[in-house]
């Protein structure tokens, strides 16, 4: 029976959903009079959800410091709704300790110790972050008030069906069906049914009694079959690789102890496997940075500006990433880098900043004149910013021997730590901050549909990967741990250009790098990365159902070899889910990592006009508009809601 109280169903209760809830509360007074119901569907604890749930290994951490984590909007956030400031993680921890923040359940002694030890520079555990996110969620529910009650369903949504007269029916695995005027899918990173080569490798491992972990969320994989000392090939050296090492070294009883030179020594438990790790680049992600800026503070963007992008859009329908956008990105990021180098370390350069900046502004990033300007100003070649070398550090290098590869990768990590955690290379921080701002701003400066197909693929592929490699790396300690594991013989490097195959004769996986000359055979292979996005082959029932019904579809992009799917749920620039005919489905929205939107995380540094906050606000306002439309269209004689304000925030099975 329809209700005269409009309802919004949010599928997924991770931090994006929590952020949108908070924005619903902040905007409702201006956009919606009266009552509406909110349903959040989430099998895990809402607020933290799957990735940030408490129930995971205590050794897993964020790759951001506590000072860089907030869920709250502040005056920097350029959105239509009102900013509603609140504590970031570091201030929250202080508030919990001094009793000024309540509504936090009693914490286990280990978490209390973490709270007391937390400083703004700490990389917190995911367990501690779960408490902050769940508190934020409860606060957002409370802010919505009694006439926008939130019901949490600890369940999985399995389908969304359009109703004849408007609205949707959302069916849950447990059998419940919820009528919704508006649905928001905030599903995050979802699993995909392994396909292609991954599926072949899983079958190969089963046939030969080996082990294969396809791309997954590392914390959800059962590695118990990997025995002590067993050789394991690891394909991928990003964040999933770091998590894997944590789970199978410290997680199996090994310990790290500090040594006099500031590094670490690994004391094995004897239960850890032996890792052989490689990837396309052959090196782990860059360390997070602990330096502080000492030069002229960052100003407003100068080259990658709204005016510059508008000027390009005025003369061409679709922009090209490599020829039009990237040169502006490189110039903007390069400007920040050289400003810090020239003003922070005048003794290292031959040109004054004012002079350099004036000439730099006139030149293209890829012009010989710009290269000459830098060469003249910065005598030490290793201090010149070279994006191509940064992206592919071992490009073109031939290694003489296995020993050469091991030394080169370890040396690369040591140099990275020196540059990013030493006291006198803050130009790396200026670059980091500039890239972060660009990453957050790109979607605002340029509507995705104004980029050509090839470039949209580059945004989801190379640009996201490069940004993650430089800016989304692990805490420095993790790189010290990698070096310690390497010295202890638990981890060996295969090198760049990793290629994996399966040998039916021996029943072993084989990993090789033509560049390094190393070949390794092992019965176990871990693909250390998240599953590729997929709607059609998603392991998530609701995405598969959307695909089956045609209510949702995958983003297709034209490339040289025809139409290619990115695997992402296609949404419009207004976050409307687009159906198989490319039409917006009324009242159905999508947000976050698995969509075609240029999503960027869920929490952010305070004071950075962060993209997720802007998007949360815009989506919340669209939801409120849609609810208002739907309330206006509803026949007055419709039955009253059977639920009451007392349902607020109550978990339902
Ligand atoms: C391993 C890992 C580590 C990361 N570390 C960091 C970090 O340190 N710092 C950082 O800024 N970002 C990090 N990220 C990025 C991460 O994407 C964001 O921090 C954030 O979690 C995204 O929020 P979300 O709500 O969009 O997605 P998620 O956090 O993935 O939440 C989505 C939720 O939807 C639920 N869901 C999905 N399908 C259904 C369904 N059918 N029915 C009901 N519920 C459903 C899931 O259970 C999940 O809880 C990390 C990501 C991963 C995968």
């Amino acid at each position: 029976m329809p209700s005269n109280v409009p309802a919004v169903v949010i599928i997924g209760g991770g931090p994006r959903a929590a952020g949108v809830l908070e924005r619903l509360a902040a905007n409702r007074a201006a956009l919606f009079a009266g009552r509406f119901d909110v349903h959040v569907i989430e099998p895990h604890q809402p607020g933290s959800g799957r990735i940030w749930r408490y129930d995971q290994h205590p050794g897993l951490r964020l790759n951001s410091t506590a000072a860089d984590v907030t869920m709250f909007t502040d005056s920097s956030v350029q959105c239509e709704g009102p900013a509603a400031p609140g504590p970031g993680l570091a201030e929250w921890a202080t508030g919990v300790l001094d009793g000024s923040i309540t509504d936090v359940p009693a914490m286990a002694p280990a978490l209390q110790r973490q709270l007391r030890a937390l400083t703004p520079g700490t990389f917190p555990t995911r367990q501690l972050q779960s408490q902050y996110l769940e508190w934020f969620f409860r606060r957002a529910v409370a802010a919505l008030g009694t006439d926008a009650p939130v019901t949490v369903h600890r369940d999985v949504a399995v389908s969304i069906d359009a109703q004849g007269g408007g609205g949707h029916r959302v069916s849950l695995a447990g059998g419940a069906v919820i009528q919704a005027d508006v649905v928001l899918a905030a599903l995050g990173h979802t699993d995909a049914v392994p396909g292609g080569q991954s599926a072949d490798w899983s079958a190969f491992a089963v046939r030969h009694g080996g082990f294969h972990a396809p791309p997954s969320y590392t914390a959800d994989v059962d590695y118990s079959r990997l025995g002590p000392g067993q050789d394991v090939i690891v394909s991928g050296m990003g964040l999933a690789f770091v998590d894997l090492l944590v789970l199978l070294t410290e997680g199996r009883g090994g310990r790290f102890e500090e040594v006099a030179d500031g590094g670490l020594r690994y004391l094995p438990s004897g239960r850890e496997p032996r890792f052989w790790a490689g990837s396309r680049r052959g090196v782990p992600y860059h360390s997070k940075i602990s330096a502080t800026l000492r030069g002229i503070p960052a100003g407003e963007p100068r080259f990658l500006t709204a005016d510059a992008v508008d000027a390009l859009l005025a003369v061409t329908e679709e922009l090209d990433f490599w020829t039009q956008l990237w040169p502006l990105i490189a110039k903007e990021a390069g400007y920040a880098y050289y400003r810090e180098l020239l003003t922070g370390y005048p003794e290292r350069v031959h040109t004054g900043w004012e002079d350099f900046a004036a000439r730099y502004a006139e030149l293209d990033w890829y012009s010989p004149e710009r290269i000459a300007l830098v060469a003249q100003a910065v005598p030490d070649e290793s201090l010149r910013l070279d994006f191509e070398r940064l992206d592919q550090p071992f490009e073109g290098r031939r290694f003489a021997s296995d020993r050469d590869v091991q030394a080169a990768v370890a040396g690369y990590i040591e140099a990275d730590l020196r540059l990013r955690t030493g006291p006198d290379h803050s130009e790396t921080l200026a670059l980091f901050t500039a890239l972060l701002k660009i990453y957050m701003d790109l979607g605002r400066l340029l509507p995705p549909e104004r980029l050509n197909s090839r470039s949209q693929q580059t945004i989801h592929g190379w640009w996201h990967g490069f940004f993650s490699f430089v800016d989304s790396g692990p805490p420095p300690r993790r790189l010290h741990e990698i070096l310690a594991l390497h010295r202890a013989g638990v981890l060996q490097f295969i090198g760049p250009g990793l290629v994996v195959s399966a040998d039916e004769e021996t029943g072993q996986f084989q990993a090789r790098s033509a560049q390094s000359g190393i070949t390794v055979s092992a019965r176990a292979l871990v693909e250390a990365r998240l599953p590729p996005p997929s709607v059609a082959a998603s392991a998530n029932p609701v995405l598969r159902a959307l695909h089956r019904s045609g209510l949702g579809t995958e983003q297709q992009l034209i490339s040289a070899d025809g139409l290619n799917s990115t695997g992402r749920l296609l949404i419009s620039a207004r976050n409307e889910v687009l159906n198989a005919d490319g039409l917006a489905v009324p009242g159905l929205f999508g947000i976050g990592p698995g969509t075609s939107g240029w999503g960027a995380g869920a929490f952010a540094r305070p004071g950075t006009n962060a993209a997720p906050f802007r998007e949360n606000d815009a989506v919340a306002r669209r939801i409120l508009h849609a609810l208002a439309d739907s309330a206006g269209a509803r026949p007055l004689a419709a039955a009253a809601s059977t639920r009451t304000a007392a349902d607020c925030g109550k978990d339902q099975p």
Side-chain angles (χ1 to χ4, degrees), residues 189-195 214-216 530-535 537-540:
H189 298 277
T190 68
D191 296 331
V193 178
S216 336
L530 286 173
S534 178
V535 179
S538 177
N540 194 317

Side-chain angles (χ1 to χ4, degrees), residues 40 42 66 91 99 157 164 187 194 287 295 404 420 535 556 591 604 616 618 623:
V40 175
E42 168 61 62
E91 293 163 282
L187 311 175
S287 169
D404 187 21
R420 285 170 174 75
V535 179
Q556 306 279 342
I591 198 167
N616 289 348
I623 290 174

Side-chain angles (χ1 to χ4, degrees), residues 550-616:
L551 216 52
T553 187
E554 290 186 354
Q555 181 191 32
Q556 306 279 342
L557 296 172
I558 304 162
S559 65
D561 49 340
L563 267 188
N564 272 320
S565 173
T566 64
R568 294 167 187 278
L569 181 69
L570 183 64
I571 59 171
S572 72
R574 295 172 47 79
N575 292 81
E576 301 146 313
V577 171
L578 301 178
N579 68 18
D581 297 323
L583 301 173
V585 180
L588 180 55
F589 296 95
I591 198 167
T595 69
S596 61
W598 294 355
F603 37 83
R605 290 182 153 198
T608 56
N609 186 20
F613 299 159
R614 284 185 262 122
E615 193 183 25
N616 289 348

Side-chain angles (χ1 to χ4, degrees), residues 10-18 40-52 56 61-64 68-69 124 126 129 133 153 155-159 172 186-190 216-219 239-240 243 288 472-473 530 540-543 591-594 600-604:
I10 302 182
I11 307 178
R16 267 337 264 281
V40 175
I41 326 286
E42 168 61 62
H44 300 281
Q45 192 67 34
S48 52
R50 179 186 180 193
I51 294 178
W52 304 105
Q56 60 183 307
R61 289 177 185 270
L62 268 78
N63 57 20
S64 324
D68 284 350
V69 173
R126 293 190 195 152
Q129 172 76 341
L133 293 174
H153 305 258
D155 206 337
V156 172
V158 292
S159 66
L172 311 191
L187 311 175
H189 298 277
T190 68
S216 336
Y217 176 28
T218 313
L239 295 174
D243 284 358
K288 277 280 163 22
S472 281
L530 286 173
N540 194 317
V542 80
L543 280 175
I591 198 167
F603 37 83

Side-chain angles (χ1 to χ4, degrees), residues 204-218:
F204 173 86
V206 170
R207 264 199 316 280
H208 294 280
F211 179 92
H212 172 239
S216 336
Y217 176 28
T218 313

